[in-house]
Every structure is written in structure tokens, then in C-alpha cells.
Amino acid sequence: AQSVTQLDSQVPVFEEAPVELRCNYSSSVSVYLFWYVQYPNQGLQLLLKYLSGSTLVKGINGFEAEFNKSQTSFHLRKPSVHISDTAEYFCAVSKFGNEKLTFGTGTRLTIIP
Amino acid sequence: DGGITQSPKYLFRKEGQNVTLSCEQNLNHDAMYWYRQDPGQGLRLIYYSQIVNDFQKGDIAEGYSVSREKKESFPLTVTSAQKNPTAFYLCATRTSGGAAETQYFGPGTRLLVL
């Protein structure tokens, strides 16, 4: 079975500073990887996904993530954050051909003005 | 306007009562899912359905039931057997086929116990 670890439950960052949210996964087979964002009292919105191909994936709102197979990581980055990026971010993994997603416990990103 | 709708936005349950959460989609996706979200625990899978008239238990199915009579609809019933139902409930659908394997989420229903 696969699992996902988000190492930081909360990350405070000053506005216009860079940010990295960490995600590590565990799986014995090839996987698909996803980052979702959740604003307060809303559903999850897909930020980006890695299915195959280039290991650097670009998503919405200026976010990107890099798939590192040797380190089993899929860290999310943004070079300059904005107040509107304040939200909770979830990393998720699924196995090839498996219909189920496994989620991490989330990282709450707080932007300090 | 395509998407996933969940109703109601807020739902109150009295002790011993069954309540039903609605999830409707017009994305023509075959697969649908129900998740429960509690603070600090991420999302946990309750039930999922890959096709009409078929569904499977997820990781925390006890105290819940579902039906899938139409492709567009996947209602979730929280029964009186679920002793701690207070949570945020999210419905999702999934595209399928190779590079399109992605889940999309509705806006959620918050269930509170009176």
C-alpha cells in the first residue's frame, strides 16, 4: 500500500518570499502524484499533477513541483508568495491503474504581510 | 455549467437520526467518491463507485451507506451507527484512462451534531 508524508503541518512565510512545501511518498510501484489546495470551507482544487514525462511540473497560480524518484519526493514550490496563497495544501498519490488516492495530512500555509 | 454540486452546505443531525448528503455531477465521469475530512487527519475514503449499481467500501465505511442508481448521483447516508459524524464531507469524481487519471472535488457539506 502507498503512503504520503507531509513533513510540515504549518508553514509561515513572509509575503513575496519563496516557499517549499515538502511531500514524500512510499510505494513499491510506479505512481501518479498530485497537489491540491483547499481554501477555508471549500472543496479541494487541483494545483498540479505528475503522471509521466518531465519531472518538473508547472501548475496554476505560479506553483511548480519536481518529481524525484530516487528520493521519493514531490515537493511544491513557489518563488514569490502572495496573501491569496494562504490555504491548506494536500499532497496525494495513486498507483498506476488504481482508482484510489491516498492523501497526506496537509500543510497549512500562512502568508505574513 | 459543468461541475460537482453538493447539498446542503451545512447539515445538522440529531442523535439517532439518519441524514443523507447529496452529490450530483454533470461531468459524465464514471467514478465517484466520498471522503471525510477531520482537522489534522487529511482526507479518508468512505465509499467509492466506478460504475452505476456498483460501489466498494473505503477505509472508514462503518456507519455509512451509499447508492449509485444513476451515473450523475452518488448520495451518502450517515446512519445512527456512526457515533462521531461531525466532519466535513467531500464528494469527488474521477476522469479515467491513462493520462487523464485525476479526481475533482465538490464544495463539501459540513455535518454537525445537535
Side-chain angles (χ1 to χ4, degrees):
Chain A
Q2 66 264 27
S3 65
V4 179
T5 302
Q6 291 185 245
L7 296 162
D8 305 299
S9 60
Q10 296 188 62
V11 174
V13 180
F14 285 103
E15 194 172 13
E16 298 183 5
V19 68
E20 179 180 83
L21 305 183
R22 296 181 291 170
C23 173
N24 287 87
Y25 69 93
S26 172
S27 177
S28 58
V29 298
S30 296
V31 296
Y32 298 134
L33 292 154
F34 305 83
W35 275 100
Y36 288 88
V37 60
Q38 184 179 36
Y39 301 102
N41 291 312
Q42 294 186 27
L44 274 65
Q45 180 182 2
L46 181 68
L47 268 180
L48 50 79
K49 60 186 177 184
Y50 173 78
L51 302 179
S52 65
S54 173
T55 57
L56 182 63
V57 180
K58 293 190 183 297
I60 62 171
N61 301 340
F63 284 93
E64 64 181 32
E66 185 156 19
F67 171 56
N68 188 320
K69 189 174 182 179
S70 62
Q71 297 189 11
T72 60
S73 69
F74 190 55
H75 300 333
L76 181 70
R77 302 184 182 102
K78 186 170 183 178
S80 176
V81 295
H82 188 266
I83 287 287
S84 59
D85 294 321
T86 296
E88 189 145 23
Y89 292 79
F90 291 93
C91 182
V93 62
S94 69
K95 294 190 291 188
F96 285 2
N98 187 320
E99 63 278 358
K100 295 195 286 184
L101 271 179
T102 300
F103 284 87
T105 52
T107 297
R108 185 172 301 276
L109 176 62
T110 301
I111 308 302
I112 305 165
Chain B
D1 191 16
I4 305 165
T5 57
Q6 291 187 243
S7 61
K9 188 174 177 66
Y10 294 95
L11 185 58
F12 298 91
R13 192 190 93 163
K14 295 179 182 178
E15 201 166 329
Q17 186 182 42
N18 292 354
V19 293
T20 297
L21 285 62
S22 170
C23 178
E24 303 279 332
Q25 57 111 350
N26 61 5
L27 300 170
N28 200 34
H29 291 171
D30 286 316
M32 296 186 75
Y33 301 77
W34 274 106
Y35 292 91
R36 171 178 171 142
Q37 185 179 22
D38 296 280
Q41 294 195 45
L43 277 72
R44 293 182 290 169
L45 182 63
I46 305 172
Y47 269 97
Y48 64 104
S49 167
Q50 296 192 77
I51 197 167
V52 174
N53 293 323
D54 187 46
F55 49 82
Q56 288 79 40
K57 293 182 179 180
D59 302 317
I60 56 164
E62 186 174 349
Y64 300 96
S65 66
V66 293
S67 63
R68 187 85 188 277
E69 297 176 1
K70 300 186 302 181
K71 187 175 184 176
E72 299 79 18
S73 178
F74 190 41
L76 173 74
T77 297
V78 183
T79 74
S80 57
Q82 173 49 247
K83 297 306 179 188
N84 184 23
T86 297
F88 192 50
Y89 291 86
L90 289 159
C91 176
T93 68
R94 183 175 61 91
T95 58
S96 59
E101 295 279 348
T102 301
Q103 288 191 22
Y104 297 92
F105 286 79
T109 292
R110 188 166 297 279
L111 177 60
L112 300 165
V113 177
L114 294 177

